[in-house]
């Protein structure tokens, strides 16, 4: 018993990659720049537009502001309504993420590890949800939510959002769980774990990438959701931020610079969350593709 | 500790039968190795003993109690897997303690048992490390430690050394042997490596296509193989086989090429047979005419050299001392002793000679 341990911090991962020719590299960077521009131009334009006056915005949509109107942002930041709407959005998104993660992970675990009659059909049934956007079911949804007495409540928005998010989330979780080594399952069984303990003690701690991925997708989906809150919420005090934009739209004129500032302030949290969780998200989306 | 008994065990997936009527008794404290080629059913048998796989027919009993319907936990077995199956997010201590935690043991007892197992396997300095920070040998030792802390009735090993390099495999082999000596738990060890099986086990069970071909002590299998499969599987390099016919009490492979063997009453004149001779049982000196053929390949390994000679029209591997100088494309004359020539029925493969 003499074999020695490798140093803990051994940087053992070999660097891999193909050496590309200059021409290929140039094309590659050009393509990346175009894609980056498609994503960045609207974001930067929105953020800069928030610093402009309405006249400046109309005459100079893409350039730098002639006068930097910081007040556009500070006025929003000091308004109580902004924070109320942010709080509503956060609450709705938080509850949606919690429900989606809990239900999708448990359902996906069953589909990944438990063999039972009709499991494939049941999974297909769940996945049918992927084919219907929420807008197509808005009328029956409204009636059902009204019958449940959930109109103009947070749960009235959270439950349908979670339901529509389950299909994709179950699929992502299931593929990830199926990629986990089966011997771990056997070892845990021999150790005395049942399905629930294996799920709780082994599967979940090893699933951080996919939890982050599904969590972010659900969060952003809920954060940006417009139609469902619009149909299902009546009280302005319960409005999430996408409905808050309507305040800046008048019958005869619209304060576009304030709308752009408002949008910038509201999407900033999701961008920050995305950058923080980026590594996990990419790992989660590609998991199961290769062993 | 407890003995283990498999009575008429069978396993099939739909119409496909993979295990047929296995009967095996492992006495208390015995170390039995199941050996056979890939797909012979050895891992399936181990998984059925563990309760990870249902049995289609028969009974499995541990310590006299039939465990067919018990969960792995209730069988009080411990299993070491080929890929170690350590929990990547837990450190060594928690990996070893996990099964005791699930069993609801008091913290003090868990600590005592984990540290005792860690001491036995020299794992104390590694208790805080995650599996990714361990070498292959250390991971395998942790896997054994995890099994050890349970104080199981039966230890099951599923090709535990297959992922290790050759040198480490030899080292871990002796560690497993020492461990078994210390704890004396009934053990079933699955491997496709006959050397591993021979060196570790009190008894080796050779399997092929879901059927036990022969069970016995390592030397019994080596000296008295029941059939051509066992004869070819046990021993390295493998036994050489020649097709022959019984003529005048000897096995004739070609005109002028005959093997003398210990007579058996079951043989008749003109009977088609298969002759088997182990590479190490050819000698370069002896009595009689001997067998001469050209050397085609010479493979020195140090202490021994494997020489391929064309005998009776077929390549035959012969083991000679590393000190013997043999060159390719020269003729080599070889001799055999009748006690070391095996004769098998050509159709059934059953051994006919009395070795």
């Amino acid at each position: 018993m003499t074999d020695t341990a490798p140093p803990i911090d051994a940087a053992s991962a070999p660097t891999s990659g193909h050496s590309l020719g200059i021409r290929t590299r140039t094309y590659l960077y050009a393509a990346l720049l175009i894609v980056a521009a498609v994503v960045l131009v609207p974001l930067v334009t929105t953020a800069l537009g928030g610093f402009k006056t309405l006249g400046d915005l109309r005459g100079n949509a893409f350039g730098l502001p002639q006068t930097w109107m910081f007040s556009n942002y500070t006025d929003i930041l000091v308004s109580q309504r902004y924070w109320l709407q942010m709080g509503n959005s956060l609450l709705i998104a938080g509850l949606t993420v919690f429900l989606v993660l809990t239900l999708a992970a448990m359902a996906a675990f069953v589909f990944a590890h438990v063999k039972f009659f009709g499991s494939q059909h049941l999974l297909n049934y769940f996945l049918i949800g992927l084919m219907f956007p929420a807008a197509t079911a808005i009328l029956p949804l409204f009636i059902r939510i009204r019958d449940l007495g959930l109109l103009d409540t947070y749960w009235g928005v959270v439950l349908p959002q979670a339901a529509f998010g389950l299909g994709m989330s179950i699929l992502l979780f299931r593929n990830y769980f199926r990629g986990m080594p089966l011997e771990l399952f056997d070892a845990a069984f021999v150790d005395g774990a049942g399905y629930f303990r294996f799920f709780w003690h082994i599967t979940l701690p090893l699933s951080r990438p996919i939890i982050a991925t599904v969590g972010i997708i659900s969060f952003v989906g809920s954060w940006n959701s417009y139609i469902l809150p619009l149909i299902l919420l009546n009280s302005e005090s319960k409005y999430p931020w996408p409905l808050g934009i309507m305040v800046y739209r008048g019958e005869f004129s619209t304060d576009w610079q304030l709308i752009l500032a408002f949008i910038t302030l509201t999407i900033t949290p999701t961008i920050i969350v995305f950058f923080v969780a980026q590594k996990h998200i990419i790992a989660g989306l590609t998991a199961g593709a290769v062993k | 500790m407890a003995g283990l008994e498999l009575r008429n065990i069978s396993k099939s997936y739909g119409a496909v039968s993979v295990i047929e009527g296995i009967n095996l008794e492992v006495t208390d404290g015995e170390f039995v190795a199941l050996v056979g080629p890939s797909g012979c059913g050895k891992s399936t048998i181990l998984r059925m003993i563990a309760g990870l796989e249902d049995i289609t027919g028969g009974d499995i009993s541990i310590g006299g109690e039939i465990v067919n319907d018990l969960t792995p936990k209730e069988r009080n077995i411990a299993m070491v897997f080929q890929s170690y199956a350590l929990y990547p997010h837990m450190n060594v201590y928690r990996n070893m303690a996990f099964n005791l935690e699930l069993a609801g043991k008091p913290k003090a007892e868990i600590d005592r048992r984990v540290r005792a197992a860690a001491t036995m396997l020299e794992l104390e300095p590694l208790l805080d490390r995650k599996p990714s920070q361990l070498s292959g040998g250390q991971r395998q030792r942790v896997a054994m430690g995890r099994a050890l802390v349970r104080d199981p009735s039966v230890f099951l090993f599923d090709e535990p050394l297959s992922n290790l390099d050759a040198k480490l495999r030899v080292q871990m082999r002796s560690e497993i042997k020492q461990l078994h000596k210390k704890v004396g738990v009934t053990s079933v060890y699955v491997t496709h490596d006959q050397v591993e099986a021979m060196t570790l086990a009190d008894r080796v069970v050779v399997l092929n296509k879901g059927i036990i071909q022969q069970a016995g002590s390592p030397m019994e299998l080596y000296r008295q193989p029941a059939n051509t499969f066992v004869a070819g599987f046990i021993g390295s390099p493998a036994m050489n086989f020649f097709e022959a016919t019984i003529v005048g009490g000897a096995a004739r492979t070609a005109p002028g090429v005959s093997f003398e063997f210990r007579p058996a009453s079951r043989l008749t004149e003109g009977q088609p047979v298969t002759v088997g001779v182990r590479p190490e049982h050819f000698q370069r000196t002896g009595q009689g005419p001997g067998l001469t053929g050209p050397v085609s390949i010479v493979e020195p390994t140090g202490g021994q050299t494997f020489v391929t000679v064309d005998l009776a029209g077929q390549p035959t591997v012969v083991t000679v001392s590393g000190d013997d100088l043999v060159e390719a494309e020269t003729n080599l004359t070889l001799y055999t002793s009748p006690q070391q020539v095996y004769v098998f029925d050509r159709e059934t493969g059953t051994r006919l000679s009395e070795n």
Side-chain angles (χ1 to χ4, degrees):
Chain A
M1 299 188 189
T2 54
D3 60 320
T4 52
I8 296 173
D9 57 347
S12 54
T15 51
S16 64
H18 304 284
S19 56
L20 299 168
I22 291 174
R23 185 186 283 189
T24 315
R25 203 178 282 260
T26 310
Y27 287 140
L28 206 64
Y29 278 110
L32 286 173
L33 275 175
I34 291 167
V35 174
V38 168
V39 176
L40 280 175
V41 166
L43 283 177
V44 174
T45 309
T46 305
L48 288 177
F51 286 104
K52 294 174 183 173
T53 59
L54 188 56
D56 189 12
L57 189 62
R58 284 194 171 136
N60 170 34
F62 293 98
L64 288 173
Q66 286 169 350
T67 314
W68 288 82
M69 299 294 292
F70 291 99
S71 59
N72 290 350
Y73 282 94
T74 51
D75 286 351
I76 293 170
L77 284 172
V78 297
S79 76
Q80 203 184 352
R81 191 168 47 208
Y82 169 77
W83 292 108
L84 178 70
Q85 288 166 355
M86 287 292 275
N88 288 339
S89 281
L90 203 62
L91 184 65
I92 292 170
L95 288 171
T96 306
V97 169
F98 174 76
L99 271 187
V100 168
L101 288 181
T102 310
L103 298 176
M106 290 197 294
F109 180 82
V110 172
F111 286 122
H113 290 302
V114 185
K115 286 178 191 162
F116 60 94
F117 178 75
S119 62
Q120 190 57 46
H121 294 299
L122 194 60
L123 177 65
N124 291 342
Y125 171 74
F126 275 104
L127 299 185
I128 285 172
L130 287 174
M131 296 160 69
F132 300 100
T136 59
I138 207 76
L139 185 62
L141 194 63
F142 178 84
I143 295 167
R144 178 51 52 91
I145 294 294
R146 186 196 60 196
D147 292 349
L148 287 170
L150 294 175
L151 269 187
D152 201 28
T153 65
Y154 293 125
W155 286 108
V157 180
V158 168
L159 291 176
Q161 273 186 178
F164 279 105
L166 276 180
M168 175 59 87
S169 306
I170 287 173
L171 196 63
L172 287 170
F173 268 120
R174 175 177 166 269
N175 289 350
Y176 190 88
F177 292 163
R178 285 179 80 140
M180 290 170 79
L182 276 179
E183 281 195 342
L184 277 184
F185 200 72
D186 291 340
F189 253 38
V190 170
D191 271 344
Y195 283 114
F196 179 75
R197 281 172 151 171
F198 179 73
F199 175 71
W200 188 252
H201 290 292
I202 312 292
T203 305
L204 283 186
L206 292 176
S207 302
R208 272 183 295 180
I210 198 69
I211 290 171
T213 306
V214 173
I216 294 293
I217 291 173
S218 308
F219 185 86
V220 173
S222 169
W223 191 258
N224 295 333
S225 175
Y226 180 76
I227 291 282
L228 279 176
L230 180 70
I231 304 293
L232 300 167
L233 296 176
N234 300 323
S235 312
E236 211 173 302
S237 63
K238 293 199 175 75
Y239 277 6
W241 75 264
L243 300 186
I245 293 175
M246 291 193 296
V247 174
Y248 301 102
R249 296 198 61 178
E251 195 176 345
F252 304 107
S253 69
T254 300
D255 292 327
W256 286 110
Q257 78 285 11
L258 294 179
I259 288 181
L260 295 181
F262 191 88
I263 289 173
T264 306
L265 285 173
T266 46
I267 62 172
T268 303
T270 55
I271 292 173
I272 292 170
V273 169
F274 181 81
F275 275 115
V276 170
Q278 185 188 28
K279 207 171 115 188
H280 287 308
I281 291 173
I282 291 163
L285 285 173
T286 55
V290 276
K291 286 245 172 183
Chain B
M1 285 195 288
L4 165 75
E5 194 178 353
L6 310 184
R7 276 191 297 271
N8 213 20
I9 292 296
S10 61
K11 174 75 183 175
S12 51
Y13 298 99
V16 182
S17 172
V18 289
I19 302 288
E20 286 176 36
I22 295 283
N23 287 293
L24 178 68
E25 195 172 347
V26 184
T27 55
D28 192 1
E30 194 181 13
F31 196 122
V32 166
L34 305 181
V35 67
S38 296
C40 71
K42 54 191 187 298
S43 284
T44 307
I45 292 175
L46 201 74
R47 290 175 62 80
M48 290 195 292
I49 297 170
L52 295 170
E53 199 90 52
D54 292 332
I55 56 173
T56 308
D59 286 319
I60 297 175
S61 67
I62 296 175
E65 183 195 357
I66 290 181
V67 296
N68 296 3
D69 299 321
L70 298 187
T71 62
K73 176 179 70 170
E74 292 163 336
R75 296 182 188 204
N76 194 26
I77 47 96
M79 192 160 172
V80 179
F81 296 88
Q82 182 177 348
S83 67
Y84 324 126
L86 299 178
Y87 309 123
H89 57 299
M90 297 181 189
N91 63 18
V92 170
Y93 184 96
R94 274 219 70 207
N95 261 286
M96 290 167 70
F98 186 58
N99 63 69
L100 300 175
E101 285 172 17
L102 291 180
K105 300 284 181 200
K107 271 193 175 174
E109 189 188 340
I110 293 174
D111 192 63
R112 183 180 55 74
R113 283 165 73 165
V114 168
R115 290 192 188 278
T119 305
M120 191 182 283
L121 293 161
E122 295 179 17
L123 288 169
E124 302 108 308
L126 310 176
L127 286 175
D128 291 328
R129 293 205 192 168
K130 294 269 178 71
S132 59
Q133 296 165 337
L134 302 175
S135 67
Q138 289 167 337
R139 285 181 206 183
Q140 195 51 273
R141 233 181 283 146
V142 175
M144 286 197 284
R146 180 170 67 176
L148 204 59
V149 293
R150 302 182 54 130
D151 193 14
S153 301
V154 180
F155 241 133
L156 305 174
F157 296 88
D158 189 5
E159 308 209 29
L161 307 184
S162 300
N163 285 2
L164 304 178
D165 63 47
K167 193 179 166 194
L168 201 51
R169 207 178 305 159
V170 174
Q171 186 191 325
M172 289 304 296
R173 209 163 65 195
S174 64
E175 286 186 20
I176 290 175
K177 195 155 189 168
Q178 280 174 13
L179 181 71
H180 182 254
K181 258 188 193 169
K182 273 187 205 166
V183 297
V185 176
T186 310
S187 302
V188 182
Y189 188 103
V190 159
T191 178
H192 62 269
D193 182 346
Q194 51 98 10
V195 177
E196 221 169 274
M198 301 269 286
T199 50
L200 277 172
D202 301 321
R203 201 148 53 99
V204 177
V205 177
V206 181
L207 286 152
N208 188 32
K209 294 176 183 167
I211 296 168
I212 293 181
Q213 301 294 315
Q214 191 176 0
S217 72
M219 289 317 287
E220 198 180 324
L221 298 191
Y222 178 78
R223 288 184 182 138
Q224 285 117 26
N227 52 40
T228 46
F229 180 83
V230 177
F233 199 83
I234 299 293
S236 178
M239 184 183 272
N240 299 288
F241 293 108
F242 306 87
E243 289 196 351
T245 310
I246 301 299
V247 178
R252 195 169 80 178
T253 58
V257 183
S258 290
F259 290 94
E260 301 285 331
F261 61 94
R262 276 193 172 174
S265 55
R266 288 172 285 179
L267 289 165
T268 54
E269 186 75 2
Q271 183 176 344
V273 292
T274 301
V275 171
V277 184
R278 294 198 183 279
E280 57 274 27
H281 289 163
F282 283 104
Q283 284 104 37
R284 295 189 66 184
T285 54
Q287 292 178 337
L291 304 160
T292 303
V295 173
S296 54
I297 302 167
V298 179
E299 297 168 284
T301 63
Q304 293 176 321
T305 299
F306 303 133
V307 180
T308 305
V309 186
D310 288 333
L311 285 185
Q314 75 171 70
T316 305
V317 177
V318 176
T319 306
V320 299
S321 165
D323 297 328
D324 288 359
L325 288 178
V326 179
E327 285 180 21
E329 292 169 23
T330 56
N331 275 338
L332 198 64
T333 301
L334 299 162
Y335 300 87
T336 55
S337 145
Q339 290 92 328
Q340 292 170 332
V341 171
Y342 296 86
V343 175
F344 303 93
D345 186 291
R346 200 184 302 171
E347 220 168 274
T348 62
T350 313
R351 179 165 55 89
L352 302 171
S353 57
E354 289 169 4
N355 301 89

